[in-house]
């Protein structure tokens, strides 16, 4: 298929060089999408239907056989050999069961080792003599050791996951999922499905995946390309709101106030405070005639624009045309016959421009936010009745700054600027947005994301128990309201595919203290995994635990409180153990990653060594946030977890 595309000759089919460039780019993208992955098989399953799909149940109707794979594959004649996993005819591979065989006589799963076919397993779904059983190949695929970035799960999608993946483009879905339930994979595969089902529409409107940090985005970046989807943009919330250079930080109290949804009201007041009612008429001179628009008529125009509740900048652009229209009405009454060119000329008249500048001046979002954060009187005037005096004092900068470029903006400040920018000019909306690790966003960050999908839909992924910011989401209904998606469907995934039973049971001891209303994850893994809590006398014992883990297959993560990372890095170097930073790809030679606890969210390793749980808790501003951070760290292991501690364990783990 790739060679066919490479052999295309477009010299005689393009009308001009522009068309040729566009077509060449499309061909290049198609070639990239058809990249052959040596360790990725073309198919992983087979369906033998009792009857051809869509045929009636008349006797003698012959069944059909379909091979199911990550990609559609056809032969030299264009006949399909492998059906894309997203096609409707592939759906029974994930949904069919002994109770509901969906007209499937046989489902076959194929097993691979390093890209080579090594096993297969059959289920005769319509045969009443065969009992239902758990697929061994499916279990092995779920429990396979992980080295390198996140990979697709198309061979192991479960029925409850498939329902979410195939939900329609028109609606927003929020997935609450504990550790190891596959919520991130489900979200990415939903994007792949939507691009398959609505390719033309999403090609026009665009898709975006938002992750918590660069390390996480690097970890997931190969999933969609492996499925042939190369057009999805990936970013963090900070990337979206990068109107200014962020060089500063806020303390927790200031960040909470700046992230509060009430700040949107403060900003709206501040933006529209620049509008002043006209007190003087506008006099337009054209030739020997003078046309006068009185102040009361100008005021009516301004009030009408304010009542329409359109963007500040759009109203400012409309104002000169409205004034010009008032002049044209007078011209027509005087017997003249002005046209659109005359109206445009009047709108550009110096007197009209001067009136617009005085009544509806331009607003720079960054300068506006800077004034709010540095001018106590300006903030008080627009936060009255919204923020208390103490809250206003909390967000005011202690030192004055010379200007926007010299200011040490924080991430929360950048979100405020983005809100102000949207009040002035509408933010571009995409067709679909995936928001992962959503529980950590502030209300103002939710609003920033919501602006990117006002005309599209969203997939929101998260776990309330893993909220590790002071402003973490308290409930999904509240979060979805800030996002502007109050009609979203909330789904909960509780079956754990990644974390071993003993590990998730130990971590779940924290749930009553961090998220009492959540259902604990129930691991479906047959392998209980390695789990051990061992006292340690110092870093040599931690290094020894890492060496022990490295003797096993797969990736290793050493997770520690941020403050302890430099000391552990020095100890690993002294012991001659090479290690990576989060997001760097593991290799056969270097399989150990040293992970600060603050960056562990969303990552996974076959074996984890967790250093000093109490230090992880103490590294956060309050105990609940610290226990949530510990919950995240405890649940990063796919096959085994060793907890080492010199200090006593947190009492909540007793």
């Amino acid at each position: 298929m790739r060679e066919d595309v490479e052999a295309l000759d477009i010299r005689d089919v393009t009308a001009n060089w522009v068309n040729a460039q566009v077509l060449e780019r499309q061909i290049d993208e198609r070639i990239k999408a058809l990249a052959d992955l040596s360790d990725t098989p073309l198919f992983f399953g087979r369906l033998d239907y009792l009857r051809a799909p869509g045929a009636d149940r008349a006797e003698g109707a012959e069944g059909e056989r379909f091979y199911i794979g990550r990609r559609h594959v056809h032969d030299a004649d264009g006949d399909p050999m492998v059906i894309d996993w997203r096609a409707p005819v592939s759906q029974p591979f994930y949904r069919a069961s002994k109770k509901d065989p969906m007209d499937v006589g046989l489902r076959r799963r194929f097993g691979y080792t390093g890209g080579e076919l090594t096993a297969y397993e059959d289920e005769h779904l319509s045969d009443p003599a065969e009992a239902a059983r758990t697929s061994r190949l499916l279990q092995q695929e779920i429990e396979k050791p992980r080295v390198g970035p996140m990979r697709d799960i198309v061979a192991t999608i479960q029925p409850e996951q498939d329902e979410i993946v195939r939900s329609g483009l028109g609606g927003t879905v929020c997935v609450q999922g504990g550790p190891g339930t596959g919520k991130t994979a489900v979200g990415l595969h939903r994007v792949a499905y939507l691009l398959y089902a609505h390719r033309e529409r999403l090609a026009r409107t665009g898709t975006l995946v938002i992750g918590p940090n660069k390390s996480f985005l690097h970890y997931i970046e190969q999933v969609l390309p492996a499925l042939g989807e190369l057009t999805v943009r990936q970013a963090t919330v900070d990337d979206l709101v990068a109107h200014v250079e962020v060089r500063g930080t806020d303390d927790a109290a200031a960040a909470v106030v700046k992230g509060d949804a009430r700040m949107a009201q403060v900003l709206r007041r501040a933006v529209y405070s620049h509008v002043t009612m006209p007190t003087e008429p506008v006099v337009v001179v054209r030739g020997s005639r003078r046309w006068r628009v009185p102040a009361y008529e100008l005021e009516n125009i301004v009030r009408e624009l304010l009542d329409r509740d359109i963007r500040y900048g759009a109203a400012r652009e409309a104002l000169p045309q409205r004034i010009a229209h008032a002049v044209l009405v007078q011209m027509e009454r005087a017997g003249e016959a002005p046209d659109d060119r005359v109206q445009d000329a009047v709108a550009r008249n110096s007197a009209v421009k001067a009136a617009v500048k005085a009544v509806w001046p331009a607003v720079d979002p960054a300068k506006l936010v800077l004034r709010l954060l540095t001018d106590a009187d300006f903030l008080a005037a627009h936060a009255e009745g919204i923020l208390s005096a103490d809250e206003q004092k909390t967000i005011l900068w202690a030192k004055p700054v010379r200007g926007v470029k010299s200011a040490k903006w924080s991430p929360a400040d950048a979100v405020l600027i983005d809100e102000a920018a949207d009040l002035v000019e509408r933010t571009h909306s995409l067709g679909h947005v995936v928001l992962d690790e959503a529980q950590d966003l502030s209300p103002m960050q939710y609003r920033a994301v919501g602006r990117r999908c006002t005309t599209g839909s969203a997939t929101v992924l998260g776990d309330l128990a893993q909220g590790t910011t002071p402003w973490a989401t308290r409930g999904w209904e509240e979060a979805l309201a800030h996002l502007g998606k109050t009609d979203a469907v909330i789904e909960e995934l509780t079956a754990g595919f990644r974390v071993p039973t003993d590990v998730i049971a130990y971590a779940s001891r924290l749930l009553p203290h961090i998220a009492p209303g959540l259902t604990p994850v129930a691991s479906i893994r047959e392998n209980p995994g390695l789990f051990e809590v061992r006292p340690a006398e110092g870093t040599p014992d931690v290094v020894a635990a890492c060496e022990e883990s490295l003797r096993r297959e797969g990736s290793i993560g050493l997770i520690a409180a941020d403050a302890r990372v430099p000391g552990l890095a020095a100890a690993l170097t002294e012991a001659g153990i090479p290690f990576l930073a989060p997001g760097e790809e593991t290799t056969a030679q270097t399989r150990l990653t040293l992970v600060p606890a603050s960056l562990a969210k969303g990552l996974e390793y076959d074996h984890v060594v967790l250093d000093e749980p109490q230090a992880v808790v103490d590294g956060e501003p309050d105990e609940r946030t610290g226990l949530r951070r510990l919950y995240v760290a405890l649940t990063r292991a796919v096959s085994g977890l060793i907890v080492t501690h010199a200090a006593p364990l947190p009492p909540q783990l007793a």
Side-chain angles (χ1 to χ4, degrees):
M1 289 169 67
R2 190 172 62 253
E3 287 168 358
D4 287 346
V5 178
E6 290 171 339
L8 288 174
D9 186 352
I10 63 170
R11 286 175 296 184
D12 299 326
V13 298
T14 53
N16 52 53
W17 70 271
V18 175
N19 289 349
Q21 291 285 323
V22 171
L23 193 53
E24 281 182 20
R25 181 181 175 187
Q26 291 175 341
I27 289 173
D28 287 343
E29 289 177 352
R30 178 64 175 158
I31 291 170
K32 289 177 185 175
L34 289 169
D36 199 14
L37 306 176
S38 59
D39 60 346
T40 303
L42 289 176
F43 60 92
F44 51 81
R46 192 182 101 189
L47 288 176
D48 290 4
Y49 278 89
L50 297 176
R51 283 164 288 273
D56 59 27
R57 295 183 175 270
E59 285 193 31
E62 292 186 10
E64 280 193 72
R65 172 178 297 171
F66 298 95
Y67 285 87
I68 312 301
R70 287 162 177 78
R71 308 287 305 281
H72 167 78
V73 182
H74 62 247
D75 62 17
D77 297 323
D79 294 325
M81 298 177 68
V82 179
I83 305 299
D84 194 301
W85 65 277
R86 297 167 286 189
V89 77
S90 303
Q91 188 171 346
F93 185 79
Y94 304 107
R95 301 270 188 99
S97 64
K98 292 292 291 184
K99 288 183 178 179
D100 181 14
M102 300 177 73
D103 208 34
V104 173
L106 178 142
R107 172 169 57 200
R108 174 170 289 180
R109 300 182 192 274
F110 295 97
Y112 292 85
T113 302
E116 259 187 51
L117 179 63
T118 54
Y120 69 87
E121 182 182 72
D122 289 346
E123 297 171 86
H124 297 87
L125 298 176
S126 298
D127 184 356
E130 184 177 292
R133 66 183 190 278
T134 303
S135 166
R136 296 293 301 169
L137 282 180
L138 181 63
Q139 201 69 34
Q140 289 169 12
E141 179 66 23
I142 289 172
E143 297 181 10
K144 186 182 292 183
R146 315 293 175 91
V147 176
M150 186 178 186
R151 53 191 172 84
D152 66 74
I153 61 163
V154 289
T156 63
I157 293 174
Q158 300 297 294
E160 64 271 23
Q161 296 175 322
D162 190 64
E163 286 185 26
I164 298 170
V165 167
R166 294 178 194 267
S167 53
L169 177 61
T172 289
V173 178
C174 175
V175 182
Q176 158 63 40
T181 54
K183 57 185 178 295
T184 297
V186 166
L188 293 174
H189 286 69
R190 186 181 181 215
V191 172
Y193 172 77
L194 292 175
L195 285 167
Y196 174 88
H198 308 278
R199 190 167 301 281
E200 289 188 9
R201 179 174 170 184
L202 289 177
R204 293 192 306 271
T205 56
T207 49
L208 171 68
V209 174
I210 302 173
N213 51 56
K214 296 291 186 184
S215 298
F216 178 84
L217 291 177
H218 183 69
Y219 176 63
I220 67 170
E221 67 183 356
Q222 295 304 318
V223 175
L224 290 170
L227 299 173
E229 303 299 347
L230 306 174
T231 60
V232 180
R233 181 186 163 207
Q234 295 185 350
T236 64
V237 173
D238 291 344
D239 294 333
L240 298 182
V241 299
H243 302 282
V244 292
E245 183 183 358
V246 173
R247 295 183 295 146
T249 56
D250 288 311
D251 59 38
V256 168
V257 177
K258 289 179 181 179
D260 194 297
R262 293 174 297 160
M263 286 300 300
Q265 296 175 263
V266 176
L267 287 165
R268 185 174 187 82
R269 283 184 182 180
V271 167
Y272 283 92
S273 70
H274 292 79
V275 178
T276 56
M277 291 302 161
T279 57
E280 300 291 333
V282 172
V283 179
V284 176
V285 178
R286 282 185 60 80
S288 60
R289 301 294 300 269
R290 292 162 62 88
W291 307 97
R292 182 176 180 275
V293 182
Y296 76 86
E297 190 172 347
L298 292 174
E299 182 177 336
N300 288 338
I301 293 172
V302 171
R303 291 193 184 280
E304 183 190 347
L305 287 172
L306 287 172
D307 291 342
R308 286 186 59 194
D309 198 29
I310 58 178
R311 294 295 193 281
Y312 183 93
R316 186 174 186 274
E317 291 176 5
L319 181 56
Q321 288 290 336
R322 295 296 180 87
I323 296 173
H325 178 72
V327 172
L328 259 64
V329 170
Q330 294 184 29
M331 290 180 174
E332 289 169 350
R333 286 174 182 161
E336 296 189 19
D339 56 18
D340 289 346
R341 289 174 298 177
V342 174
Q343 180 167 330
D344 290 340
V346 173
R348 294 192 299 269
N349 182 276
S350 58
V352 174
K353 285 183 176 180
V356 170
K357 186 176 181 180
V359 172
W360 209 297
V363 171
D364 181 291
K367 288 181 179 177
L368 176 84
V369 173
L370 183 64
R371 187 179 175 192
L372 276 173
L373 298 177
T374 56
D375 185 335
D377 292 337
F378 187 68
L379 176 62
H382 300 105
E384 184 181 358
I386 300 175
L387 300 180
S388 68
D390 287 342
E391 287 174 322
Q392 293 175 37
K393 188 176 179 181
T394 299
I395 64 173
L396 276 170
W397 291 359
K399 297 179 181 179
V401 293
R402 275 182 281 179
V404 169
K405 290 186 177 179
S406 61
K408 289 189 176 180
W409 298 105
S410 70
D413 296 333
V415 177
L416 296 179
I417 294 171
D418 189 70
E419 179 83 28
D422 184 70
L423 288 167
V424 174
E425 185 176 343
R426 184 183 296 277
T427 304
H428 174 66
S429 177
L430 300 163
H432 192 78
V433 171
V434 175
L435 175 61
D436 205 353
E437 300 296 345
Q439 72 280 345
D440 276 337
L441 268 61
S442 70
M444 290 299 285
Q445 287 176 315
Y446 275 116
R447 290 176 62 88
V449 173
R451 286 192 283 278
R452 271 76 186 177
C453 55
T454 51
T455 58
S457 56
T459 303
V460 181
L461 311 165
D463 180 10
L464 297 177
Q466 296 186 57
T468 51
T469 55
W471 50 85
T473 301
R474 289 171 292 191
W476 290 121
E477 291 82 0
E478 179 185 335
L480 292 166
H482 294 311
L483 195 68
K485 304 293 182 184
T486 53
D487 58 345
V489 176
I490 301 175
E491 303 280 0
E492 187 171 10
L493 295 175
T494 57
F497 304 100
R498 179 174 55 77
V499 185
T501 302
D502 291 350
V503 174
I504 196 64
Y506 185 69
S508 293
R509 296 180 184 183
L510 298 174
L511 281 180
H513 308 280
I514 59 177
L518 288 186
T519 305
V521 172
S523 178
I524 65 167
R525 296 174 67 113
E526 294 182 354
N527 181 356
L530 169 76
F531 173 63
E532 188 178 350
V533 179
R534 60 173 70 161
E537 295 184 3
T539 52
D541 287 346
V542 180
V543 172
C546 292
E547 291 174 327
E548 179 183 328
S549 298
L550 284 166
R551 289 194 285 272
R552 300 185 176 92
E553 186 182 3
S555 56
I556 316 297
L558 170 56
I559 303 178
D562 293 29
R564 291 181 57 82
V565 167
L568 290 170
L572 290 171
T573 302
E574 186 178 343
I577 300 175
F579 60 91
L580 305 164
E584 295 179 342
E585 195 165 326
T586 54
T587 64
Q589 294 74 34
T590 308
R591 294 185 290 123
L592 175 66
T593 303
L594 178 56
V595 187
S598 63
L599 295 181
K601 192 170 296 177
L603 306 180
E604 61 181 26
Y605 303 93
D606 282 293
H607 296 276
V608 167
V609 177
L610 175 59
D611 167 72
E612 289 296 352
Q614 188 60 54
V616 174
V617 177
D618 294 341
E620 299 299 327
D622 60 82
E623 185 180 60
R624 190 184 76 156
T625 304
L627 291 172
R628 286 183 167 187
R629 184 76 72 189
L630 178 58
Y631 181 74
V632 171
L634 285 167
T635 54
R636 299 304 95 200
V638 174
S639 300
L641 171 67
I642 298 174
V643 178
T644 62
H645 66 101
L649 292 170
Q652 293 84 355
L653 285 176

